[in-house]
Amino acid sequence: MKNILKTTLMGTLCLTAVACSDQEAMNVNPNAASNVPSNMIMNAAEKWTMDNVYDVWFSGRQCLVYAQQWSQRNYTEEDRYQIRESVNNSYFKYLYLGLNNFQKVIQLNTNPATKDGSSAYGANANQIAAAMIMKVWLADLMTDTWGSIPYSEALKLESDGVLYAKYDDQKELYAQLIKELTEAVNMIDESEDAFTSGDIIFDGDASKWKKFGNSLKCRLAVHMSKVDSNWKNYIAEALASGVMESNDDAAKYQYSSTGSEYCKFYEGFFVDRRNDFAISKTLCDLLKGQPDTLNAKTHPWEGVIDPRLYVYGVNDGVYNGMCVATQTGVQSRIFTQDKVASWYHNQPPVLSKTFAVPLMTYAELKFIVGEYNGFNVDDYKEGVAASIEYWYDVMGESISQEDIDEYVDAVSKDVNAETYAIQKYIDLYCNGTEAWTEIRRTGYPNQILRPGEHSGVLGTTVYDFEPLSEVKGDIISRVKYPTDESTLNGANWQAAVSKLQDGTNNYYSKMFWDVRKNTYDHPANK
Amino acid sequence: MKKRLTLFMASILLFVGGAFAQTQVSGTVFSEEDQQPIIGATVRIDGIKVGMLTDANGRFSLTMPQGRTKLKISYVGYESVTVTAKDGMKVYLRQDAALLDEVVVTAMGISREKKALGYAVSELQGEELLKSRGGLNNPVNALQGKVAGLQISSGAGSMGGSSKMLIRGANSLSGSNQPLFVVDGVPIEGKDFNSTDAARGGGGYDYGNLIQDINPDDIENISVLKGASASALYGSRASNGVVMITTKKAKKQQGMGVEFTSTIGFERVTKLPKLQSEYGGGYGYAALDGEDDFGEVTINGKTYITPDYGMDESWGPKLDGRQVLSWYDLAKWEANGKKGDPTTSPWSAPSSDYEDFFETGVSFTNNVSLSQVYDNSSLRISYTNTSLSGYLPNSSMYKNTFNVNGNITSPNKKLNVFTSVNFYNNRAKGRQDTGYGDNNIMVKFTQWGQRQLNMNELEEMWRYPDGTMAAWNRNDVDDPTPAYHNNQYWSRYMNYENDTRNRIYGNVGASYQILPMLKAQYKANLDFFVDKQYERNAVGSQEESRYMEISRQQYEINHEFMLMYNQIFGDYSVAANLGANIMKNHYEYVYGESVGGLAIPEFYNLANSLTQAAGYNYRREKSINSLFADVTLGWKNMLFLEGTVRGDKSSTLPTDNNTYVYPSVTASWLFSELLKDKLDWLDYGKVRIGFAQVGNDTDPYQLYNIYSQYTNIDSSTPGYRLPNTMNNPDLKPERTTSLEFGLEMNFFQNRLGFDLTYYQTNTKDEILPLSVSGTTGYIYKYVNSGEIENKGFELGLHATPVRTKDFEWTTNITLASNKNKVKSLADGVDYYRIVSSPFKVEIGAMVGEEYGVIMGTDFVYDENGNKMVDENGLYMATDGNQVIGNIYPDFTGGWVNTFRYKNFDASIQLDFSKGGKYFSTTYLWGMYCGMFEETAENNVRETGIVSEGVTEDGKPNTQVVSARDYYENFYTGPAAQSVLKSDYVKLREINLGYTFNLRPEWFVKSLRLSAFGRNLAVWGPDVKHFDPEMIVTSSGNMQGVEGGATPMVSTYGFTVNLKF
């Protein structure tokens, strides 16, 4: 009896002990890596960011329709400034996840424990600089979308346990971003790689990162042209440090056709099968040299066909754009009536699997520098030509120099702030937020349809652009803060909302750099 | 050791015996029913408090003091007898029907007298589960309304879909609150593997929770252990209560027992949203702009009117009978090679509407069981087969279940080797896509669609002769490709899933009676299953064609050791158990899916992927080692005190914090024992009190940070990103503390009685993935959160108002109320998101509120409580999310009446739920798209609507808006518009039966015929379009959002039961 008891008890404890010894090992996750080289994180950070910015939601249903580059051909809520809460919630956080991954690259190259290991994948300082530049690029896009956003206290959950980040005043945020860009470009050692591999944007070329950093500084500076007298100083600093010099230096992200890693524009159409978009009539008519007779608006180059029309639209010989944001039922009928090409059946180049999404083009830089130089003709011409070459190159097509010259001459008869803005708007195709930002900053192109203007004609009935949300007669000034923040970051969200115009979370509060007095007002030109 | 114990025993007996002159008496105690010796029966010398327990052979041996001749022999569940002592005597005990239900199976499978329990246990006989099963439902649904405090929400008509069970409210903020299921001591995996999307209404199939694998035919009885006290011995997983299932064992009878049961069941859709039949598909109508939606097309020189095929809303032209070129006319014409002229059809309400899409589901369930008891062994073998065709086209399900129960005892009866094995095989096809899924036909019928569509046309013409789809939602007259939606029949016949599950669960073990009062037992409990799912979207569907395959495999093994000790000392009794358990759980998941579509139509293999198919795998391991003990002390069969303690060491927690020990103490007092002689109307009275703690760990891999693989766009450098969830190396175990009081009383020969329980349960330090603001760089962070409290009462009332020889009426009422409060969350956190719905709202937990709040935009109210209307004449919505409802009911209950007249019996059950709300996505889009009846009522499309409320200047709103603008505001305006009450009263079940009087010597010994009906009617404030129960698409905590829910069905059926 004693033995039985003893054996049983001993057996129990032994078995327990044996089982205990491998319990700790059991809790190491076999499904994911716990140590990853910094270049692999940079690789994912770049792609994650591109996937979530250049897609049919953040871009396709929001900034591209706000910029009137794309139009939804059926459900026009966003075109009429009614956002989907769930989309707004998702993208707000997805973009922060993007920031956090760039931040991780910086940490791995800063932290003494991981710094040396990381240097095997590119010089520490260069990796840090590249990640900082991407962070600034993304943060700028975010603040230009929502306004004041958390930045100084954001991304500090892991390091400091910060669950609730305050919203930084947009003006201060811009100052901070300029400062970070300056730091970043100054630390780059062009003789060393930024990344040995994994960097899709510049393939690890440190000097290109530096040029991009300085060019981006010019973009931020010009955004502040009406509100910060230092804007020219920032550009001067950047030019001195070195900016993009040709289309070769352009910042773009080239998707590959391997596996399922297609450009998200393609995926939205052909994987998710959403035939919801078409090129906007606003952009299309500008490219076609067609004035807006419905609203009696002139065209600066009436009858001049932009070579980029073949790149942006569907070559069906007609190139009809989709009118802007009439009501849902009307929209689809005008689509049919106006013979707008269905992108679903006629795939425009922008919907190719391997589309290279543009972060910033050389042409854009030329237009900024030209504005800095007082809207001069040479920068303008160079910008327009560079843009045409760039877009043809992205699509894998070529265009003769004569064709370029012919167009450049046709659009350079009277170069001023307005022509600058229009050419920049055309070049910023697919760069929805930046295009929208420039419309808000400059008030141009005049051809952008404003609320209350005539949008389209169905039969004999004229439909007007009637926003679903209050925008005080202007185009949308910002995107509302997501409802997520009201529950997960309530006090800070509340504080940020209270600083908006009328203290409500609305679409009409202006960016700090948007100081237009009315919808057409362009202070730079007055 | 053995010697010492024997000596100790002997000394007690000697001491007792020494005082008197002595006669040695020995004998054996048998059960009269099966002639088996009874082990552990109490044998006392009448008049004095001396006695012993029978040994493994039912034997006892006593020394009778002089002057004493009578022995009182008793055993739980049997009638006590007093007999004259005689050496070599045989005593037969008869089972006591009245007392039988007082023995309940408690934790670790230990049978206990109910009166000794200091906590609430509800018991049900297995046959309750059999009465009304049509073979279609999750068997646990049969418990609905029958157990106080057990809330079951069944996903309506979803074949093999999930049921959500909740005992005493939600204790856990995240994950699941499903109780632990234990079958013959084997913990059974009961959760579901549904995607988050399926649970939140985003889409995907509801594959059901795995608890449906239990087979009602093999269930002897079910004990529901509700509180932490009851389940303290099960540890972590039992903090939400335990459902203990005991399967049928062979019973002693003449020769072999053969039983055959056959059920045929039918199901019909009963509750469908009410839709308008006055306007067809499209978006414009006369009132809008003086022209309607029709277009024109000229074919062969003839001009036809065309509706707006591509639009998927029903704000179109009035159904006035005009001849139009319908999608069906076009498709027929195209199918015929565009020969001749197409036909036209009247633009009118469909002659066969969407209710005609649903078929009558039919199920057949047959069970045969064989059992026999031999001298030293017993065996029961049972086989059940279920086949059903569901109410949706192309849906079916087959189940096979084998159950074997047996044991062999050594000739001296000391060693008992036993086993219970269940084999389960299931295959299903054509489960319904849920939520916002591409092939959820309910979305196409009630949310986005055209109201003039004829089901018989859709069915006849769902594909062209070349095999491609014929879509009603075609892009244009000359473009037959689908715009947004598949033909519903295409969805059912081409884009279906199928799945299989093979499962074995059961145990094998041995016990040894070391001493009459001491038994040792070892058991190995296994639950193993392989679950396969295959999903396909055919080439030619609106969405990209796709094939995917999931393989899941899990095994869990529990090695359980126990020492069981029972002894009586005079007025005192002692029962003690000491045990150890080693649990290992291993789960693997492999997933493959096509990428970029499929090459060859209707060939479903990963090799058919257009680009290289993608594969993922996931492994998970977990172990818990435990030691536990419990002691029950009894005094005079009247006062009982039980204490338990358990310690767990879990692999999922940090090594310095992975061991947690938790106790429970309960007491019960049968005060009726004192009053027995004074109050003869009082049969039974007991008060009980219990305190218990249960510790809990978490899922594996939540401690250390990892990176997720994100891309391999650069072939040399894969991309890894930070995960959405930040892990936490400082987690500590969760703890649930509960306190309960109970009062049980029976009166008038047990014809009236009640069982009342009050409880309070507090769960602290729950480990959960806290939703954090995206600005932190993460979406979730694992934390030990604060405290959630549940308080409530449960009342069970039973009465037998009439009892005569021929007629008996019994009535049972259960009532339960639970008040939940989220007392705190993690430090500085006041909100936890459980899930966000695809469109408008999220479900969460907020400090100070009840668990499960619906967060969304509300109406804006002025200071007088009027809804505010904006300058467009539409309801204004609040800026941010607010609490606009709570998803859990305050009150639930059931009422069962049972009648018996001679050989007829009948029962009727009602149950109800009060309080609680849900957000309905179908309601939202059904309004938005002009589908629901309301959108065409009272001529609103012609005359417009005035939003009832006040304008910003405080005056009543008088602005007339178009019906479409008004109903579109269901999406663009306040979310609160689509929040509905989930209150209901339901006619749950009616049963009728007749048992024939047959003689035992006949070939057929017993014959019973019965009929049932289930889910026969529902009443409630918001049941116009929905049965509030139908919104369940998972067993977990993501509840409260309806999205394209499967309609409620009623089931009817007949059962024949034969015994040979």
Side-chain angles (χ1 to χ4, degrees), chain A residues 64-360:
Chain A
L64 283 176
V65 299
Y66 303 154
Q68 297 181 13
Q69 295 189 347
W70 286 15
S71 272
Q72 296 199 68
R73 62 180 203 92
N74 204 351
Y75 292 101
T76 54
E77 269 94 0
E78 289 89 351
D79 309 49
R80 292 191 290 155
Y81 310 149
Q82 175 84 58
I83 55 164
R84 295 176 212 219
E85 280 170 18
S86 53
V87 172
N88 198 33
N89 281 331
S90 296
Y91 283 79
F92 187 77
K93 65 190 175 208
Y94 292 167
L95 299 187
Y96 273 101
L97 296 192
L99 289 178
N100 205 30
N101 280 290
F102 291 120
Q103 169 108 325
K104 194 74 192 175
V105 174
I106 297 171
Q107 275 170 12
L108 288 173
N109 283 284
T110 314
N111 188 331
T114 53
K115 194 177 162 181
D116 290 346
S118 299
S119 66
Y121 310 104
N124 287 137
N126 288 353
Q127 290 191 42
I128 293 171
M132 280 174 80
I133 291 166
M134 283 309 297
K135 256 185 86 180
V136 171
W137 178 86
L138 182 53
D140 170 47
L141 181 143
M142 291 163 67
T143 185
D144 292 344
T145 301
W146 286 286
S148 296
I149 53 165
Y151 189 77
S152 60
E153 292 182 358
L155 316 180
K156 290 199 167 150
L157 177 63
E158 199 178 337
S159 54
D160 305 295
V162 178
L163 278 173
Y164 305 110
K166 75 169 169 69
Y167 284 59
D168 292 344
D169 180 75
Q170 194 180 30
K171 189 175 174 185
E172 285 160 26
L173 176 54
Y174 258 79
Q176 173 65 21
L177 297 180
I178 291 275
K179 185 167 154 266
E180 286 184 23
L181 277 176
T182 309
E183 272 173 36
V185 295
N186 287 341
M187 69 169 73
I188 288 176
D189 175 355
E190 291 175 68
S191 67
E192 294 212 56
D193 275 338
F195 295 94
T196 53
S197 70
D199 168 20
I200 302 290
I201 297 174
F202 290 123
D203 195 22
D205 187 332
S207 61
K208 286 192 177 175
W209 276 109
K210 186 170 182 177
K211 290 177 190 169
F212 177 40
N214 280 317
S215 304
L216 185 58
K217 191 167 161 182
C218 297
R219 178 191 272 188
L220 265 65
V222 84
H223 286 177
M224 296 190 289
S225 62
K226 313 295 170 284
V227 291
D228 184 346
S229 52
N230 282 323
W231 73 281
K232 287 201 169 186
N233 295 340
Y234 301 142
I235 292 180
E237 279 169 27
L239 292 173
S241 177
V243 294
M244 293 174 184
E245 288 160 22
S246 72
N247 280 337
D248 281 351
D249 295 335
K252 60 178 192 255
Y253 186 95
Q254 175 82 52
Y255 277 87
S256 84
S257 59
T258 58
S260 56
E261 314 249 7
Y262 308 140
C263 176
K264 295 292 165 184
F265 288 140
Y266 171 86
E267 233 176 69
F269 272 80
F270 299 102
V271 178
D272 302 340
R273 303 270 164 157
R274 291 305 299 237
N275 183 18
D276 285 332
F277 309 94
I279 191 167
S280 160
K281 194 168 190 305
T282 309
L283 175 61
C284 202
D285 286 356
L286 271 177
L287 296 168
K288 282 161 75 177
Q290 187 170 300
D292 175 4
T293 49
L294 209 53
N295 292 294
K297 290 185 187 177
T298 55
H299 189 292
W301 316 293
E302 189 172 340
V304 176
I305 293 173
D306 191 320
R308 286 166 290 191
L309 180 62
Y310 304 97
V311 181
Y312 296 175
V314 167
N315 187 357
D316 61 350
V318 185
Y319 293 107
N320 279 343
M322 184 67 230
C323 71
V324 173
T326 58
Q327 287 164 324
T328 294
V330 174
Q331 192 83 350
S332 66
R333 288 157 70 193
I334 293 181
F335 177 85
T336 309
Q337 170 198 275
D338 288 358
K339 304 218 174 332
V340 178
S342 161
W343 283 5
Y344 203 58
H345 297 295
N346 303 289
Q347 186 180 1
V350 63
L351 291 187
S352 71
K353 286 179 183 174
T354 58
F355 181 60
V357 297
L359 281 77
M360 186 174 181

Side-chain angles (χ1 to χ4, degrees), chain A residues 1-2 12 23 27 31 33 51 74-75 77 84 101 155 158 164 197 261 273 329 345 463 484-485, chain B residues 1-2 283 289 312 479 484 514 542 580 619 649 707 710-712 717 722 773 775 778 828 833 928:
Chain A
M1 174 62 209
K2 189 179 175 182
T12 309
Q23 267 192 322
N27 208 24
N31 307 299
D51 285 352
N74 204 351
Y75 292 101
E77 269 94 0
R84 295 176 212 219
N101 280 290
L155 316 180
E158 199 178 337
Y164 305 110
S197 70
E261 314 249 7
R273 303 270 164 157
H345 297 295
Y463 288 90
D484 254 11
E485 282 288 291
Chain B
M1 176 80 193
K2 185 179 180 182
Y283 198 75
D289 50 21
D312 53 355
D479 180 358
Y484 299 104
I514 303 166
Q542 187 272 336
R619 265 186 301 138
K649 190 170 159 81
Y707 294 90
Y710 180 66
T711 168
N712 49 19
T717 311
L722 290 166
S773 159
T775 62
Y778 290 92
R833 174 196 292 157
Y928 177 96

Side-chain angles (χ1 to χ4, degrees), chain B residues 156-189:
Chain B
S158 172
M159 179 180 73
S162 296
S163 292
K164 178 173 167 62
M165 296 183 81
L166 202 57
I167 295 178
R168 291 185 178 171
N171 292 313
S172 168
L173 293 159
S174 66
S176 154
N177 276 304
Q178 178 161 293
L180 172 70
F181 282 77
V182 178
V183 177
D184 290 340
V186 186
I188 299 294
E189 181 62 82

Side-chain angles (χ1 to χ4, degrees), chain A residues 1-2 5 9 12-13 15-16 19-20 22-24 26-34 36 39-41 43-44 47-48 51 73-75 77 82 84-86 92-93 96-97 100-101 104 150 154-158 162-165 197-198 200 253 255-256 259-262 270-271 273-274 276 327-329 332-333 336 344-345 461 463 470 483-489 493 504-505, chain B residues 1-2 283 289 291-293 308 311-313 448 475-476 479 481 484 514 518 542-544 561 563 580 582 584 595 611 617-619 621-625 627 649-652 655 700-701 703-707 710-714 716-722 724 726 771-779 781 828-831 833 838 840 842 855 857 871 879-881 928 964 971-972:
Chain A
M1 174 62 209
K2 189 179 175 182
L5 261 183
L9 278 172
T12 309
L13 290 173
L15 276 166
T16 311
C20 289
D22 56 17
Q23 267 192 322
E24 192 179 358
M26 200 177 272
N27 208 24
V28 174
N29 192 336
N31 307 299
S34 44
V36 170
N39 62 333
M40 293 191 181
I41 296 168
N43 178 259
K47 180 156 190 293
W48 171 267
D51 285 352
R73 62 180 203 92
N74 204 351
Y75 292 101
E77 269 94 0
Q82 175 84 58
R84 295 176 212 219
E85 280 170 18
S86 53
F92 187 77
K93 65 190 175 208
Y96 273 101
L97 296 192
N100 205 30
N101 280 290
K104 194 74 192 175
L155 316 180
K156 290 199 167 150
L157 177 63
E158 199 178 337
V162 178
L163 278 173
Y164 305 110
S197 70
I200 302 290
Y253 186 95
Y255 277 87
S256 84
S260 56
E261 314 249 7
Y262 308 140
F270 299 102
V271 178
R273 303 270 164 157
R274 291 305 299 237
D276 285 332
Q327 287 164 324
T328 294
S332 66
R333 288 157 70 193
T336 309
Y344 203 58
H345 297 295
T461 314
Y463 288 90
E470 181 59 72
T483 51
D484 254 11
E485 282 288 291
S486 71
T487 49
L488 300 176
N489 193 14
W493 177 86
T504 60
N505 189 13
Chain B
M1 176 80 193
K2 185 179 180 182
Y283 198 75
D289 50 21
E291 54 184 316
D292 60 36
D293 248 0
D308 191 343
M311 180 51 68
D312 53 355
E313 299 185 25
W448 299 92
N475 269 313
D476 217 331
D479 180 358
T481 56
Y484 299 104
I514 303 166
L518 185 67
Q542 187 272 336
E543 65 278 11
E544 188 180 67
F561 308 86
L563 275 177
I582 298 174
K584 266 203 170 170
V595 177
T611 33
N617 68 323
Y618 179 83
R619 265 186 301 138
E621 264 190 294
K622 171 176 178 172
S623 86
I624 299 177
N625 299 317
L627 286 171
K649 190 170 159 81
S650 166
S651 69
T652 63
T655 38
Y701 317 138
L703 304 181
Y704 312 114
N705 282 327
I706 46 99
Y707 294 90
Y710 180 66
T711 168
N712 49 19
I713 194 162
D714 179 332
S716 70
T717 311
Y720 281 82
R721 70 176 185 89
L722 290 166
N724 294 344
M726 195 175 128
S771 290
V772 294
S773 159
T775 62
T776 62
Y778 290 92
I779 301 177
K781 179 186 191 240
V829 175
D830 58 6
Y831 178 72
R833 174 196 292 157
K840 293 293 279 186
E842 58 186 66
M855 298 290 292
T857 51
E871 66 268 31
D879 250 350
N881 284 339
Y928 177 96
R964 196 180 63 199
Y971 172 54
T972 52

Side-chain angles (χ1 to χ4, degrees), chain B residues 977-995:
Chain B
Q977 292 173 106
S978 302
V979 171
L980 302 177
K981 288 182 184 153
S982 56
D983 302 351
Y984 66 82
V985 174
K986 188 167 262 192
L987 177 52
R988 177 72 64 191
E989 219 176 277
I990 293 181
N991 290 292
L992 295 168
Y994 186 83
T995 310

